[in-house]
Amino acid sequence: MTTTQQPSTLRVGMVGYAFMGAMHSHAWRTAPRFFDLPLRPELAVLCGRDQVAVKAAADTMGWQETETDWRSLVERDDVDLIDICTPGDTHAEIAIAALEAGKHVLCEKPLANSVEEAERMAEAARSAEAKGTYAMCGFSYRRTPALTLARRLVEQGRLGEIRHIRAQYLQDWLSDENVPMTWRLDREKSGSGALGDIGAHSIDAAQYVTGLDISGVSALMNTFVHQRPLAGTRIGLGGTGADDGRTGQVTVDDAAIFSARFDGGAVGVFEATRFALGRKNSMRLEVNGTRGSLAFDFENMNSLEFYDGSTDAEAAGFTTINVTEPVHPYTGNWWPSGHGLGYEHGFTHQVVDLVQSISGGTTPSPSFDEALRVQKVLHAVERSAADESRWQWTDLPL
Amino acid sequence: MTTTQQPSTLRVGMVGYAFMGAMHSHAWRTAPRFFDLPLRPELAVLCGRDQVAVKAAADTMGWQETETDWRSLVERDDVDLIDICTPGDTHAEIAIAALEAGKHVLCEKPLANSVEEAERMAEAARSAEAKGTYAMCGFSYRRTPALTLARRLVEQGRLGEIRHIRAQYLQDWLSDENVPMTWRLDREKSGSGALGDIGAHSIDAAQYVTGLDISGVSALMNTFVHQRPLAGTRIGLGGTGADDGRTGQVTVDDAAIFSARFDGGAVGVFEATRFALGRKNSMRLEVNGTRGSLAFDFENMNSLEFYDGSTDAEAAGFTTINVTEPVHPYTGNWWPSGHGLGYEHGFTHQVVDLVQSISGGTTPSPSFDEALRVQKVLHAVERSAADESRWQWTDLPL
Amino acid sequence: MTTTQQPSTLRVGMVGYAFMGAMHSHAWRTAPRFFDLPLRPELAVLCGRDQVAVKAAADTMGWQETETDWRSLVERDDVDLIDICTPGDTHAEIAIAALEAGKHVLCEKPLANSVEEAERMAEAARSAEAKGTYAMCGFSYRRTPALTLARRLVEQGRLGEIRHIRAQYLQDWLSDENVPMTWRLDREKSGSGALGDIGAHSIDAAQYVTGLDISGVSALMNTFVHQRPLAGTRIGLGGTGADDGRTGQVTVDDAAIFSARFDGGAVGVFEATRFALGRKNSMRLEVNGTRGSLAFDFENMNSLEFYDGSTDAEAAGFTTINVTEPVHPYTGNWWPSGHGLGYEHGFTHQVVDLVQSISGGTTPSPSFDEALRVQKVLHAVERSAADESRWQWTDLPL
Amino acid sequence: MTTTQQPSTLRVGMVGYAFMGAMHSHAWRTAPRFFDLPLRPELAVLCGRDQVAVKAAADTMGWQETETDWRSLVERDDVDLIDICTPGDTHAEIAIAALEAGKHVLCEKPLANSVEEAERMAEAARSAEAKGTYAMCGFSYRRTPALTLARRLVEQGRLGEIRHIRAQYLQDWLSDENVPMTWRLDREKSGSGALGDIGAHSIDAAQYVTGLDISGVSALMNTFVHQRPLAGTRIGLGGTGADDGRTGQVTVDDAAIFSARFDGGAVGVFEATRFALGRKNSMRLEVNGTRGSLAFDFENMNSLEFYDGSTDAEAAGFTTINVTEPVHPYTGNWWPSGHGLGYEHGFTHQVVDLVQSISGGTTPSPSFDEALRVQKVLHAVERSAADESRWQWTDLPL
């Protein structure tokens, strides 16, 4: 046996180690255990500003070394890929620097906090790709097997021509007015609220599954709670505010609603909110075509509902596909049929596909260009909401 | 036993005997068998333009006599109530004439084909009520026990302050392009398409359940199929077009989508379509408040989902209430728990409540004024859709 | 128009007017309004022992005359059919007398309180049928459209060879120990408890849907609550006992569980209980074959779950058939797709089919012979439960 | 920082590396990344008979070294715990040797292939525990958060006195007659078929959740397919047989059904089969008590249905608890609410609890004694099935 049979390593440097950092670490650790990867990921360097905290996190999450300045990380010769898990206001700067330094990039969604940033990032990605360096945006829901299967069924023509898309992303962790401030409620950090945080997933998923782009929107945005406690106890995404009376200003939308037209004539309706009491992570997508329909709810993430219009009328109906069969996307590498995957598997699959793209020299998907299209929709939504819900085409100049 | 103990009769004259006529006949026949009514309904006169057909229908549906001109019906002394089951373009004329003739009126929804007509009808109803004559509009879904219970839970304060309403009314009987023309696709007869036919139910249900009025909307309307066969075989609401090549123009919307603001700060999103392949009569309503949430889908009409935010966190979740208990609205008069009601029961309950209002001298609900409020929303939706989805307040002058 | 075009009448005399009496009255009244029947049912005579009560019931339910002695009813020349809605201990006597008097018979289930009675009834039915008089047993669940469709799918071979049947009938109206005594808890009246009351439905449905007979069983029966208040307030099937301390002895099973073998090699498992807290009328049936599977729960009575093993693996799963399409059994005579039927429709369909059998001169189904087969299973279950659960074949001599 | 702050390691040696081996490896790797463990697990030695294969597996799964003889493994000084992932016929020998060598043991379920073996193992575990060495049996379903929560709700008294348990474990991977032989179909290796493979999980889960032991059973077992291809392509648990005509004899049950009595008066009904076409891993448990009820289906593993009998009647029903909240068992260490866990998390939680027991010096649960109780039920089921389903008490001498 010669060493050439061992796959080369892909040395990862990751910036940020909160919720998304823990998740990405798990994905990098786990992917090579279940998938036969052409490059073996190595959790090389974890980067965060607080030296003590980042060391503790690196130990818990399994990273070999740490850095406290992302610029130093980007300059290291012993790192091949930069994984960006920070709030959106830092994405553009880090990603562009990394790509210019010849590092592959995985960047959390949404790509940026503005179309202008996203365009610069997409431009950087195109330039980098010409030199064999690749960039992917982390719209991980695409790689939930049920949504990957949804895309496959559309590609097979089993839905016919698409007419309706309805997408809801419903959470409730802000429903309690006493949940404290977080960077996700600060427009400077996050760009927008429910719209960018979760609505962006719905936009990407709708465009991905149908293969159609959103051409225009009319939107309504709303903020229910304008002041929140500054500090308190964080639990999950939410938590409980402190009693000290200090509050901060919520500067983002709590809910975003918009109607949309897609290329090809389909119409869509979208809603994103973190105030839907009782809905924990109900990322729903429903698509109706001339030949079939699909329905998905992430709270039942291992299932896809499919209506096949070609079934005899007596037996037609929505079929609950338990998307855990060997024939389904990704699932054959995991457990036997019906044994169920969880939220993290989408991230592991993301790593699998990214590594294969890098190794194979193909553009990863979602590319920064695809993510830019999402950004343009986010922008059009905000413009419409600010102008009496008037229709906005997504391809207008800024 | 003296004859005074027998309830007086309420002699009904009904105009129209298609889908809604068959349904109303069933309701008039059945209500006194299961509910103790203060007036005993009598299926006195059925009215339709085709003498042979109306006689056959009267025989099948159990009506004693027939008329072929609604004006003659309205003038009869031996009729106490006029039940209007015709397309919307005739509602105003018949209802106003009947009310002026001192007949109570039950009018199918939507109340009219325009706000102008609806305002005249509401005015006539107010005048009539001053003389002890009552009018009700047939938004029958309100009396589906699960939706009546939903209203009750909101009234009890169990949802707290309402923040979100999402209402979808999804059918698919027009999805096939070969389904033939019908009066429901002719703007002259029906006023609008999916919007007035089924969207009106969603608007009424949303306002009824939450007790809040819609103050403004932004809308998108779409027609997918513009030409349809003129004739063919009717099956259910749809059917199969003939092969003779003759087609008619669809002059209404196939789908209507709108966002809304409600009095009090709630935001809503509505969708009505008859092109949601696989959805048969999926009239869905979901409401999120500060203390609780509700979800309903008519395809599971005996259930209401209720999230009670006051439940301990460990055991909280959406509760599927099987709305068939003696304690639930209407259901104690029917079968034992869990034995299930059907679509027609809402109509029977409508008759029960109408008869009790007439006997008790109270305004029936939905009154023509309530139905007028729905009409104003329909109108605002059409104006917004015709003006680049720009926001329209519902209380603007015409 | 000549009188020969009018269908002849079928004059019905009904014994009993409690829960089942109200239901059968509704069915007789309603069937000719929605189905084109060859004989027009007439609610001729209602029979009950209490003259005042039976007159009041006849008025409410729409019967023309009353009798207080079933023997007088059976002897009347102006009655064509006797509908037996009394407790099981009276079925044999009434049914046999009626058949001998040349009256058609519809008898509520279970057919009798013993195999011996059931055999005499079946014998009487066979003799009567030779003279053109017909008898049917009221296992009405068969005519829930979803279960009729289930039978049709099995007949079409879409399940292949049947391997597994699991049937549960779960109610909870006896779960509270304070619910008062009723004839359903008195072995003298009812024959058995959960077993005969609801388990009998499961047995009939399992045999009907699969087309297979149960050949043997092993059983466990249990009584949880042995003493109950004698009187109190009846609500639905249950209610609240009085505080006077007087109690009666429950002499039947509260729950019955049995495993079964079917002709052809399938195995089954059955459970009937009125102590499954939270389950209101959960009559579930699940069937697995070599080519397909079915699942049904009466609490979602308008749906049938069907797994079609011939679907491509990627899209296979349980399909929720909304059994309300024109192509489905019975439903084309009711409302448009998706509008939902209720519990009572099975009884109306039962009347439709019975009238057609009588008019057409064919044996109604379930015949008394079919009901006798259910009775034999009930008997074998009781014998096994009384003998350490030892296996009992159903075809053994008594 | 001193070294004493670092947790000591727990050096694991694992025997077997098929489905369960891959799963356990994942659990050992992952547990310390998300839970703060008092001992840090080290994937020290993987053991398998085929040297090349075991080395490849060790590399993929992350084990440091390999052994080809479990006896050598057990004797190593640098291993603290033996994890047994082999077929049941080897459990007793390995586990007893390991315990005698002072190694902690985690043994896959069922504990053994006979009560006699299980008793010896339990005896060995008791002796070992006296010396501070611990043994756990891997009934991992207990640590699915929804089932752990179920147990907690019962302990809180929210179900009251238990009356009914119904447990089904339905799979379909053997439904196709062409699926090839496997050790799971060979009585010598596996002890029994569906009964021990999956029915054992149901037995353990039922006893665990209710806190009640099964006292007696009556059973029916069946084998549908007696001959299967000897070789072919393995896919998941099933696969496709080769065409060479060689077949092997299935020597186990394909399906096992039994009724049961529990200590305290509850009755239960169990079914385990791998022939329920369309059910992939439907491990269902339903419990009815005097005050509440529970229902679970592993195909929706993140949900638990709970009926709280103390809810006001108007709002009562089964609540779907999305068991992903911080307050729920284990889930606070993973993702935000609603983001969903998968099958593997139960195994990770098993490792967490085992490590904490070992470190804290408490008996792990399920102990070998608990697993022995399951074994006794399995044995009673087989005896009853072999004796005309006659009742068997579980505490009889062998």
Side-chain angles (χ1 to χ4, degrees), chain D residues 98-342:
Chain D
L99 288 167
E100 290 178 348
K103 315 299 190 197
H104 308 295
V105 169
L106 172 58
C107 181
E108 257 306 313
K109 51 53 60 184
L111 186 60
N113 280 2
S114 71
V115 171
E116 182 275 332
E117 286 175 342
E119 286 187 332
R120 287 194 288 115
M121 293 169 80
E123 172 60 32
R126 272 177 249 124
S127 301
E129 189 168 324
K131 301 172 197 154
T133 302
Y134 294 96
M136 180 193 249
C137 184
F139 284 109
S140 60
Y141 280 101
R142 290 185 172 204
R143 285 164 168 108
T144 302
L147 284 176
T148 314
L149 175 62
R151 170 68 184 142
R152 195 186 283 181
L153 295 174
V154 171
E155 282 178 333
Q156 290 170 355
R158 296 173 83 153
L159 270 76
E161 189 183 333
I162 306 300
R163 281 169 171 163
H164 281 291
I165 293 103
R166 57 194 68 85
Q168 299 161 343
Y169 202 139
L170 310 180
Q171 298 181 333
D172 74 352
W173 56 279
L174 287 173
S175 184
D176 181 346
E177 305 197 358
N178 193 34
V179 168
M181 279 298 293
T182 146
W183 68 266
R184 290 174 196 268
L185 300 178
D186 175 358
R187 189 176 182 81
E188 292 302 311
K189 296 273 189 204
S190 61
S192 69
L195 177 63
D197 184 20
I198 54 179
H201 278 302
S202 293
I203 294 165
D204 182 68
Q207 296 190 143
Y208 164 68
V209 167
T210 64
L212 303 171
D213 284 341
I214 293 174
S215 59
V217 299
S218 161
L220 169 68
M221 296 172 80
N222 199 64
T223 302
F224 294 107
V225 177
H226 293 274
Q227 296 284 334
R228 289 188 176 272
L230 268 182
T233 308
R234 179 119 353 249
I235 306 168
L237 292 171
T240 310
D243 297 338
D244 63 5
R246 292 180 307 137
T247 63
Q249 182 76 19
V250 173
T251 51
V252 298
D253 55 292
D254 284 336
I257 295 169
F258 62 98
S259 58
R261 289 189 183 276
F262 287 73
D263 291 343
V267 294
V269 53
F270 290 76
E271 183 181 9
T273 179
R274 300 177 291 201
F275 281 73
L277 189 60
R279 302 302 179 191
K280 300 308 175 181
N281 198 44
S282 193
M283 189 264 200
R284 302 176 187 165
L285 182 66
E286 191 167 341
V287 182
N288 307 122
T290 52
R291 298 181 52 195
S293 290
L294 290 171
F296 173 77
D297 185 334
F298 195 85
E299 291 194 2
N300 295 303
M301 62 165 283
N302 288 293
S303 296
L304 180 69
E305 307 279 325
F306 172 46
Y307 183 89
D308 183 345
S310 69
T311 305
D312 62 295
E314 211 164 44
F318 276 86
T319 298
T320 303
I321 307 172
N322 190 321
V323 191
T324 60
E325 298 290 309
V327 71
H328 288 142
Y330 305 110
T331 48
N333 286 59
W334 297 100
W335 322 120
S337 302
H339 284 66
L341 304 187

Side-chain angles (χ1 to χ4, degrees), chain A residues 99-246:
Chain A
L99 288 167
E100 289 179 348
K103 314 299 190 199
H104 308 293
V105 169
L106 172 59
C107 181
E108 256 307 311
K109 50 55 56 184
L111 187 59
N113 280 2
S114 71
V115 171
E116 182 275 331
E117 286 175 343
E119 285 186 333
R120 287 195 288 114
M121 292 170 80
E123 172 60 33
R126 272 177 249 122
S127 301
E129 189 167 324
K131 301 172 195 153
T133 301
Y134 294 96
M136 179 194 248
C137 184
F139 284 110
S140 60
Y141 280 101
R142 290 184 173 206
R143 287 167 167 103
T144 302
L147 283 176
T148 314
L149 176 62
R151 169 67 184 144
R152 195 185 283 180
L153 294 174
V154 171
E155 283 178 331
Q156 290 169 355
R158 294 173 84 153
L159 268 77
E161 188 183 333
I162 305 299
R163 282 170 170 161
H164 280 292
I165 292 103
R166 59 194 67 85
Q168 299 162 340
Y169 202 139
L170 311 179
Q171 297 182 335
D172 74 352
W173 58 276
L174 287 173
S175 183
D176 182 345
E177 304 197 358
N178 193 34
V179 168
M181 280 296 293
T182 147
W183 68 266
R184 290 175 195 266
L185 300 177
D186 175 358
R187 189 176 180 82
E188 292 303 310
K189 297 274 188 202
S190 60
S192 68
L195 178 63
D197 184 21
I198 54 179
H201 279 301
S202 292
I203 295 165
D204 183 67
Q207 296 190 144
Y208 165 67
V209 167
T210 63
L212 303 171
D213 283 342
I214 293 174
S215 58
V217 299
S218 160
L220 170 68
M221 296 172 80
N222 198 64
T223 303
F224 294 107
V225 177
H226 293 273
Q227 296 284 334
R228 289 187 176 274
L230 269 182
T233 308
R234 182 125 344 256
I235 306 168
L237 293 171
T240 310
D243 298 337
D244 63 7
R246 294 180 307 136

Side-chain angles (χ1 to χ4, degrees), chain A residues 275-296:
Chain A
F275 282 72
L277 189 59
R279 302 301 181 192
K280 301 308 174 181
N281 198 45
S282 192
M283 189 263 199
R284 302 175 187 165
L285 182 66
E286 191 167 341
V287 183
N288 306 121
T290 52
R291 298 181 53 196
S293 291
L294 288 171
F296 173 77

